[in-house]
Amino acid sequence: MVARSSGMTSTAAHPTSDADLHAVFAPLFERIAAGAVDREIDRRLPHEEVGWLREAKFGALRVPVEYGGYGASVRQLFGLLIDLAAAESNLPQALRVHFSFVEDQLLAEPGPVRERWLRSVAGGVLVGNAITEPGVGAVDRYQTRLTGDSARRLLNGVKYYSTGSLYADYILVAADHDGERVGVLVDADARGVRQHNDWDGFGQRLTASGTTEFTDVVVPDDRILGPGYGAAGATYSTGYLQLVQLAVLAGIAKRAESDAREWISARTRGYTHSAADLPREDPLVQQVVGRLSAAAFSARAAVLAVADVLDEVLAAGADDENDLNAVELAAAQAQLSVIDTVLAATTQLFELGGASIVSERLRLDRHWRNARTVSVHNPAIQKARAIGDHLLNGTALPFAWSAGERKSQEVAR
């Protein structure tokens, strides 16, 4: 890919170093990780932990330094998302549309509205989403409607998988508007918005991915994100959003390895037919830990490799179809590799012990449950077929949705 000047403000004008980012966020992630098992047991949504992330301006990682953010690269962002996922796998998934929305603002035409929004993000504002509808499926069958004229527009509909919206200040909603699919930005506490924490999956239980109802919600014109939202066509967004899920999986693998080593290191009881008295000295146990370590390493490496591609494409303006296809293909290929690697790893860790390793108190099963849940969001069998069809026959890759016309993406707070 050839870098092209986009005329956009670079987030790397005064970047924050890896060491500086680590100094800010590593202690915070440790605090978040300390309560992970208790939150899982109690099924307590991590509102307090999201508050810590707000205070540290985690949501502003990609916002330029001159607007109050960190000016981080895509690679730095995804490295930190992996680390956050290792602490609490629900949080990066809850924030994935937020970071995609920030990228849309970075790609928007420079101006006071764009700057105001980026500064708002640097001030702690978070964006959730309400895209998918229950029992409907594809975007061309959405029933959520934006009606009326510029004097008064009303939003009505029901959404599901509203990931992260219970933690957010604004909700990005996909809707039909006079036959066109648009994105609408709604205040999370606006009159007529009702949110339900009714996600009943066996994993990723704390992502706040439930139902959101919109009843006659007033939408100003400056909250309509423009025509084309949800339309077919190449976009950076699908690969970007998929990569957040892969970062979650890489973080899960990292935590699974860490938990396994901690459990084994403290264990003194082995088996009568073991090759060593202590489990940590057993070569078979060592082999499993080695495989867990390799899984965490390779999953992280795959995510960061795709992040490098995204760095180039976004810096060039994300408007070249060949570049966008390269991102989509790389993310899809990484998906097939990372899913298989992490699911195997989160199963293998149970080979380290007998019945005691399945104790509910340990909640080690959460790693497999969370990984399995994240992995089915975009079925791997469908992605594998699409990759093969593309490579063999030149068939277009399946981009899930487009964020609409670039110039229409600016919004006023």
Side-chain angles (χ1 to χ4, degrees), residues 198-267:
D198 57 356
W199 163 242
D200 65 351
F202 60 60
Q204 293 297 95
R205 292 172 171 172
L206 308 181
T207 55
S209 300
T211 301
T212 306
E213 302 175 73
F214 302 93
T215 305
D216 290 338
V217 179
V218 177
V219 179
D221 281 351
D222 60 12
R223 295 296 185 84
I224 302 173
L225 304 187
Y229 194 95
T235 172
Y236 85 91
S237 302
T238 50
Y240 190 103
L241 291 169
Q242 181 63 68
L243 193 60
V244 176
Q245 303 287 51
L246 301 186
V248 172
L249 287 167
I252 290 171
K254 181 179 178 181
R255 178 56 59 182
E257 179 219 350
S258 175
D259 284 353
R261 285 193 289 110
E262 181 180 357
W263 190 78
I264 284 295
S265 295
R267 188 170 171 82

Side-chain angles (χ1 to χ4, degrees), residues 271-295:
Y271 300 96
T272 56
H273 52 288
S274 295
D277 292 333
L278 292 174
R280 67 176 182 273
E281 296 173 352
D282 189 322
L284 296 180
V285 170
Q286 293 167 354
Q287 183 182 77
V288 172
V289 172
R291 287 176 175 170
L292 290 174
S293 175

